[in-house]
mmCIF file of all heavy atoms in Angstrom:
data_model
loop_
_atom_site.group_PDB
_atom_site.id
_atom_site.type_symbol
_atom_site.label_atom_id
_atom_site.label_comp_id
_atom_site.label_asym_id
_atom_site.label_seq_id
_atom_site.Cartn_x
_atom_site.Cartn_y
_atom_site.Cartn_z
ATOM 1 N N GLY A 296 141.609 9.613 146.426
ATOM 2 C CA GLY A 296 142.377 10.350 145.429
ATOM 3 C C GLY A 296 143.208 11.457 146.042
ATOM 4 O O GLY A 296 143.181 11.697 147.258
ATOM 5 N N THR A 297 143.939 12.155 145.183
ATOM 6 C CA THR A 297 144.893 13.167 145.617
ATOM 7 C C THR A 297 144.521 14.538 145.066
ATOM 8 O O THR A 297 144.323 14.707 143.859
ATOM 9 C CB THR A 297 146.313 12.804 145.145
ATOM 10 O OG1 THR A 297 146.639 11.489 145.612
ATOM 11 C CG2 THR A 297 147.335 13.792 145.681
ATOM 12 N N LEU A 298 144.439 15.502 145.966
ATOM 13 C CA LEU A 298 144.253 16.900 145.587
ATOM 14 C C LEU A 298 145.627 17.534 145.417
ATOM 15 O O LEU A 298 146.450 17.493 146.334
ATOM 16 C CB LEU A 298 143.463 17.630 146.675
ATOM 17 C CG LEU A 298 143.347 19.141 146.526
ATOM 18 C CD1 LEU A 298 142.530 19.511 145.289
ATOM 19 C CD2 LEU A 298 142.736 19.758 147.786
ATOM 20 N N VAL A 299 145.855 18.122 144.251
ATOM 21 C CA VAL A 299 147.141 18.737 143.932
ATOM 22 C C VAL A 299 146.928 20.229 143.696
ATOM 23 O O VAL A 299 146.132 20.614 142.828
ATOM 24 C CB VAL A 299 147.777 18.100 142.679
ATOM 25 C CG1 VAL A 299 149.141 18.743 142.384
ATOM 26 C CG2 VAL A 299 147.917 16.590 142.852
ATOM 27 N N ILE A 300 147.615 21.063 144.454
ATOM 28 C CA ILE A 300 147.551 22.517 144.282
ATOM 29 C C ILE A 300 148.919 22.989 143.801
ATOM 30 O O ILE A 300 149.937 22.721 144.453
ATOM 31 C CB ILE A 300 147.178 23.228 145.591
ATOM 32 C CG1 ILE A 300 145.771 22.822 146.039
ATOM 33 C CG2 ILE A 300 147.306 24.745 145.450
ATOM 34 C CD1 ILE A 300 144.673 23.189 145.072
ATOM 35 N N ASP A 301 148.947 23.682 142.652
ATOM 36 C CA ASP A 301 150.242 24.081 142.099
ATOM 37 C C ASP A 301 150.387 25.582 141.859
ATOM 38 O O ASP A 301 151.470 26.047 141.500
ATOM 39 C CB ASP A 301 150.538 23.330 140.793
ATOM 40 C CG ASP A 301 149.385 23.363 139.805
ATOM 41 O OD1 ASP A 301 148.600 24.334 139.838
ATOM 42 O OD2 ASP A 301 149.265 22.412 139.010
ATOM 43 N N ARG A 302 149.307 26.351 142.058
ATOM 44 C CA ARG A 302 149.400 27.794 141.863
ATOM 45 C C ARG A 302 148.552 28.515 142.907
ATOM 46 O O ARG A 302 147.542 27.985 143.383
ATOM 47 C CB ARG A 302 148.923 28.205 140.469
ATOM 48 C CG ARG A 302 149.801 27.756 139.324
ATOM 49 C CD ARG A 302 149.340 28.380 138.014
ATOM 50 N NE ARG A 302 149.450 29.839 138.046
ATOM 51 C CZ ARG A 302 148.794 30.667 137.230
ATOM 52 N NH1 ARG A 302 147.947 30.169 136.328
ATOM 53 N NH2 ARG A 302 148.974 31.962 137.315
ATOM 54 N N ALA A 303 148.976 29.750 143.239
ATOM 55 C CA ALA A 303 148.194 30.624 144.118
ATOM 56 C C ALA A 303 148.110 32.004 143.490
ATOM 57 O O ALA A 303 149.046 32.455 142.818
ATOM 58 C CB ALA A 303 148.838 30.706 145.499
ATOM 59 N N GLN A 304 146.974 32.675 143.700
ATOM 60 C CA GLN A 304 146.743 33.994 143.135
ATOM 61 C C GLN A 304 146.036 34.864 144.171
ATOM 62 O O GLN A 304 145.277 34.365 145.005
ATOM 63 C CB GLN A 304 145.859 33.906 141.883
ATOM 64 C CG GLN A 304 146.383 32.989 140.789
ATOM 65 C CD GLN A 304 145.884 31.543 140.917
ATOM 66 O OE1 GLN A 304 145.129 31.227 141.837
ATOM 67 N NE2 GLN A 304 146.307 30.688 140.019
ATOM 68 N N ALA A 305 146.277 36.171 144.121
ATOM 69 C CA ALA A 305 145.602 37.098 145.023
ATOM 70 C C ALA A 305 144.093 37.015 144.823
ATOM 71 O O ALA A 305 143.612 36.910 143.693
ATOM 72 C CB ALA A 305 146.093 38.522 144.781
ATOM 73 N N GLN A 306 143.345 37.089 145.918
ATOM 74 C CA GLN A 306 141.887 36.930 145.821
ATOM 75 C C GLN A 306 141.205 38.119 145.149
ATOM 76 O O GLN A 306 140.094 37.988 144.636
ATOM 77 C CB GLN A 306 141.292 36.716 147.206
ATOM 78 C CG GLN A 306 141.366 37.925 148.127
ATOM 79 C CD GLN A 306 140.589 37.702 149.421
ATOM 80 O OE1 GLN A 306 139.949 36.670 149.625
ATOM 81 N NE2 GLN A 306 140.644 38.674 150.315
ATOM 82 N N ILE A 307 141.852 39.275 145.109
ATOM 83 C CA ILE A 307 141.204 40.463 144.585
ATOM 84 C C ILE A 307 140.828 40.320 143.117
ATOM 85 O O ILE A 307 139.812 40.849 142.660
ATOM 86 C CB ILE A 307 142.084 41.716 144.812
ATOM 87 C CG1 ILE A 307 141.268 42.995 144.619
ATOM 88 C CG2 ILE A 307 143.312 41.687 143.921
ATOM 89 C CD1 ILE A 307 140.248 43.237 145.676
ATOM 90 N N ASP A 308 141.649 39.583 142.349
ATOM 91 C CA ASP A 308 141.337 39.359 140.937
ATOM 92 C C ASP A 308 141.619 37.927 140.507
ATOM 93 O O ASP A 308 141.712 37.627 139.324
ATOM 94 C CB ASP A 308 142.121 40.332 140.046
ATOM 95 C CG ASP A 308 143.625 40.249 140.257
ATOM 96 O OD1 ASP A 308 144.069 39.434 141.097
ATOM 97 O OD2 ASP A 308 144.364 40.990 139.581
ATOM 98 N N GLY A 309 141.742 37.025 141.471
ATOM 99 C CA GLY A 309 142.024 35.628 141.173
ATOM 100 C C GLY A 309 140.775 34.865 140.772
ATOM 101 O O GLY A 309 139.640 35.369 140.877
ATOM 102 N N PRO A 310 140.929 33.627 140.326
ATOM 103 C CA PRO A 310 139.796 32.852 139.800
ATOM 104 C C PRO A 310 138.772 32.439 140.845
ATOM 105 O O PRO A 310 137.673 32.011 140.490
ATOM 106 C CB PRO A 310 140.477 31.630 139.175
ATOM 107 C CG PRO A 310 141.774 31.491 139.913
ATOM 108 C CD PRO A 310 142.213 32.892 140.212
ATOM 109 N N CYS A 311 139.105 32.551 142.129
ATOM 110 C CA CYS A 311 138.139 32.168 143.173
ATOM 111 C C CYS A 311 137.255 33.318 143.608
ATOM 112 O O CYS A 311 136.301 33.118 144.368
ATOM 113 C CB CYS A 311 138.877 31.609 144.393
ATOM 114 S SG CYS A 311 139.768 32.865 145.378
#
Side-chain angles (χ1 to χ4, degrees):
T297 305
L298 172 66
V299 181
I300 296 298
D301 49 28
R302 292 188 63 200
Q304 304 90 0
Q306 68 172 357
I307 195 69
D308 57 0
C311 72

